[in-house]
Amino acid sequence: MTGIDILDQAAALVAAGRFDAALKLLAPFPEGTPGLDAQLGAARLGRKEAKAALLHLARAVEAAPKDPALGLLLAKAHLLGNDPGAAITLALGLAPSPERDEVLAGAYRRDALFRDCVRLVEAAQEPSDQMLYERAMSLNGLGEAATALKAWDDLIARAPDRAAAWYGSHGPALDLLGWNEADRRLKRAAACPKANGRYEAMAAAYDVLAGRKARLFGPKHVHVVESAAALVPHLAEGWRLFGMTASLLAWALNEAKEPGLVLEFGVRRGASLAVLAAHADQEVHGFDSFEGLPEVWGATHAGVLTTGGILPEVGENARLHPGWFEDTLEPFLEANPGPLRFANIDSDIYSSARTVLFGLAGRIRAGTVLVFDEFIGNRTWQDDEYRAFAEFTAAHGVGFQVIAVTPACKQVAIRIT
């Protein structure tokens, strides 16, 4: 059997989903063998090994820059590596096709370009189930609960055993129809073939927050339940449960009754800032470097979540303050006196959240409402925004109550007491 025959056999194994067998077959080939990087990259991509897939596929594309199949694989690898911006650039450089459009829809959604994703899918003649999933997720991100729920139900009608569709639908169902319907959808998600164990853990987290006996879940996702349990001692009387980010933001802002500044830290594409601007009845201010994360966060490398320096379009009552928080917050506060009414802290990482909280220490008063977007649910939750807030409250003797939670979105609203 020739080397070309073996590469063809490896390609067939990859197409069949037998990635380990393909890698074993390719192991004897020396680096630099023509066509090797393409097959190694495809196999590593199949195994969801983003770093290795990117390495091999970048080499393959460099050797054959006009090969659209390789370009599409490289775009998928960037998407797997949590770099949707790079995936969008690559996909837009390829001729339209159902496969390209599916990747592009996913990249748009992951890059919070929700409107672009919705337009792309709605313009497709025969959108795939995956494209319909990306559209429904984008509608969730836009906070359009009724439209999102219909999109999910349309997808479920086409793919009744798609666990992610049942799970994705439970957020808008919770906000529109209440807990019983959301719980039904969670149970249905968990019962689907090959369901993610996180679905059962999320249902158990809801149980813990509600004071019910937690249903069974696997140990792999214990952090989801433990982080929810950490909130229980701080739950305010009459606290609220939400299924979508926009719903909690609008409600929490209305609960911030004391006058003062309305700020957001972590604007990115402006979806949440738009919600605040629509409900604040005053000027709102958004802070973001627009250059992505300043440091590594778990498996996510620095620079991810960048907008490439492009500022989003915002409402007439919204003002943007581009730059790193440590450079922009102090000058802003010097020019804008008064207490803090509300802040949405969507910084993700510990260092950024700590910079914001300690920078605002003199403005945070009883009645101030703070919303955190990555407070619970992550494996590293104790080392991220949660840790920054714990250090802030300890350093300044601040009391607080949790007034609202969106478990599926990792979002928590807190009132300072």
Side-chain angles (χ1 to χ4, degrees):
M1 184 179 295
T2 67
I4 293 176
D5 291 335
I6 293 175
L7 289 174
D8 288 342
Q9 186 177 346
L13 289 170
V14 169
R18 298 180 60 192
F19 308 118
D20 288 341
L23 290 170
K24 184 176 180 180
L25 186 66
L26 295 169
F29 280 77
E31 184 175 325
T33 300
L36 177 63
D37 277 314
Q39 298 309 321
L40 287 173
R44 295 297 181 187
L45 182 62
R47 285 179 51 83
K48 300 188 184 303
E49 298 172 359
K51 188 175 181 180
L54 283 166
L55 174 66
H56 290 297
L57 290 170
R59 289 177 182 168
V61 169
E62 185 178 1
K66 295 184 178 181
D67 187 327
L70 288 177
L72 193 61
L73 286 175
L74 183 56
K76 290 181 179 180
H78 278 293
L79 198 54
L80 179 64
N82 201 20
D83 192 354
I88 290 169
T89 299
L90 281 165
L92 288 175
L94 301 173
S97 69
E99 294 79 10
R100 191 234 38 181
D101 289 349
E102 183 172 291
V103 172
L104 186 56
Y108 278 148
R109 193 266 299 176
R110 293 278 296 277
D111 206 26
L113 293 167
F114 301 131
R115 295 291 180 198
D116 290 324
C117 177
V118 170
R119 281 193 291 267
L120 177 67
V121 177
E122 292 180 350
Q125 290 186 348
E126 296 182 5
S128 65
D129 288 354
Q130 183 62 32
M131 290 183 73
L132 294 178
Y133 169 84
E134 301 297 353
R135 174 177 177 264
M137 284 291 291
S138 293
L139 291 167
N140 274 13
L142 290 167
E144 298 179 5
T147 309
L149 187 57
K150 184 181 185 307
W152 286 119
D153 285 345
D154 289 346
L155 176 56
I156 288 168
R158 280 180 49 164
D161 286 329
R162 191 176 181 115
W166 285 103
Y167 178 76
S169 74
H170 94 272
L174 176 58
D175 288 349
L176 293 170
L177 305 173
W179 168 248
N180 288 338
E181 178 60 17
D183 189 38
R184 182 185 77 84
R185 290 168 183 264
L186 276 174
K187 290 176 179 175
R188 186 64 178 81
C192 287
K194 299 181 180 180
N196 191 324
R198 183 181 179 86
Y199 303 158
E200 291 178 332
M202 184 60 64
Y206 281 111
D207 291 338
V208 167
L209 287 167
R212 299 185 295 264
K213 180 181 178 181
R215 66 199 77 182
L216 296 177
F217 63 94
K220 185 177 179 181
H221 299 283
V222 67
H223 55 281
V224 175
V225 183
E226 288 180 344
S227 60
L231 302 179
V232 172
H234 306 288
L235 292 174
E237 184 176 353
W239 71 278
R240 293 286 301 271
L241 184 68
F242 290 93
M244 301 179 74
T245 294
S247 301
L248 181 144
L249 277 174
W251 180 86
L253 179 59
N254 185 62
E255 289 296 299
K257 306 296 186 182
E258 299 298 323
L261 300 167
V262 174
L263 313 178
E264 175 170 87
F265 297 89
V267 175
R268 202 182 177 196
R269 301 297 184 183
S272 56
L273 190 66
V275 174
L276 299 181
H279 292 88
D281 294 324
Q282 68 179 83
E283 191 171 64
V284 300
H285 299 270
F287 297 77
D288 200 305
S289 70
F290 301 102
E291 296 180 32
L293 294 178
E295 61 191 59
V296 172
W297 181 39
T300 303
H301 58 79
V304 163
L305 307 183
T306 181
T307 68
I310 299 173
L311 276 58
E313 294 184 7
V314 296
E316 292 183 359
N317 64 323
R319 301 289 178 268
L320 295 176
H321 303 271
W324 301 109
F325 299 155
E326 58 265 31
D327 298 326
T328 56
L329 179 55
E330 184 175 351
F332 170 83
L333 293 176
E334 289 176 355
N336 294 270
L340 177 68
R341 174 188 172 194
F342 177 95
N344 181 36
I345 303 175
D346 187 6
S347 62
D348 298 337
I349 61 176
Y350 159 78
S351 61
S352 295
R354 193 179 196 282
T355 295
V356 169
L357 289 166
F358 280 80
L360 292 172
R363 307 298 183 93
I364 294 176
R365 310 286 174 84
T368 295
V369 172
L370 304 174
V371 173
F372 294 89
D373 200 65
E374 296 283 343
F375 205 73
I376 58 172
N378 291 325
R379 294 187 185 280
T380 58
W381 66 277
Q382 289 177 301
D383 297 318
D384 298 331
E385 292 173 352
Y386 181 94
R387 175 187 169 193
F389 183 68
E391 291 180 357
F392 167 74
T393 56
H396 295 278
V398 172
F400 68 95
Q401 292 181 320
V402 173
I403 60 172
V405 187
T406 313
C409 302
K410 310 171 186 178
Q411 186 185 33
V412 175
I414 291 170
R415 180 188 289 118
I416 303 302
T417 58

